[in-house]
Amino acid sequence: DAPLAGATVRLTSPAVTVQTDGDGRYQLLQVPVGNIELTFTATGYSTRIVPLTIAPRSVVDLTVRLAPLPPNLNGAQVRGIVT
């Protein structure tokens, strides 16, 4: 699978959101010890929620695959400019 640049990785508490880089890599620092949930999202892909248990002074390497969504042939398209 090819790396997914620009995906969102969100930790709920404390609220921290990062984007994946051009190689699909991300890093979250100062993650609290205990049970957490990471939410992974990207346009055109299904959302994935991953529960983790974080130990003190640990480093967790986590690779997540997001499944592409089927094209929505009946959906409308919205375009615009944000200024």
Side-chain angles (χ1 to χ4, degrees), residues 2-83:
L4 188 56
T8 299
V9 182
R10 186 177 69 239
L11 172 64
T12 305
S13 181
V16 177
T17 301
V18 297
Q19 301 288 318
T20 58
D21 67 13
D23 294 322
R25 297 183 185 280
Y26 64 94
Q27 184 175 19
L28 295 165
L29 303 173
Q30 307 278 330
V31 175
V33 171
N35 296 324
I36 66 163
E37 283 188 346
L38 294 178
T39 302
F40 297 82
T41 59
T43 301
Y45 292 83
S46 61
T47 296
R48 180 127 182 240
I49 299 172
V50 178
L52 294 171
T53 300
I54 305 298
R57 295 177 300 283
S58 63
V59 175
V60 178
D61 289 317
L62 179 65
T63 299
V64 174
R65 183 183 185 282
L66 298 183
L69 293 173
N72 183 351
L73 301 177
N74 296 320
Q77 185 178 52
V78 177
R79 290 198 230 180
I81 298 173
V82 176
T83 59

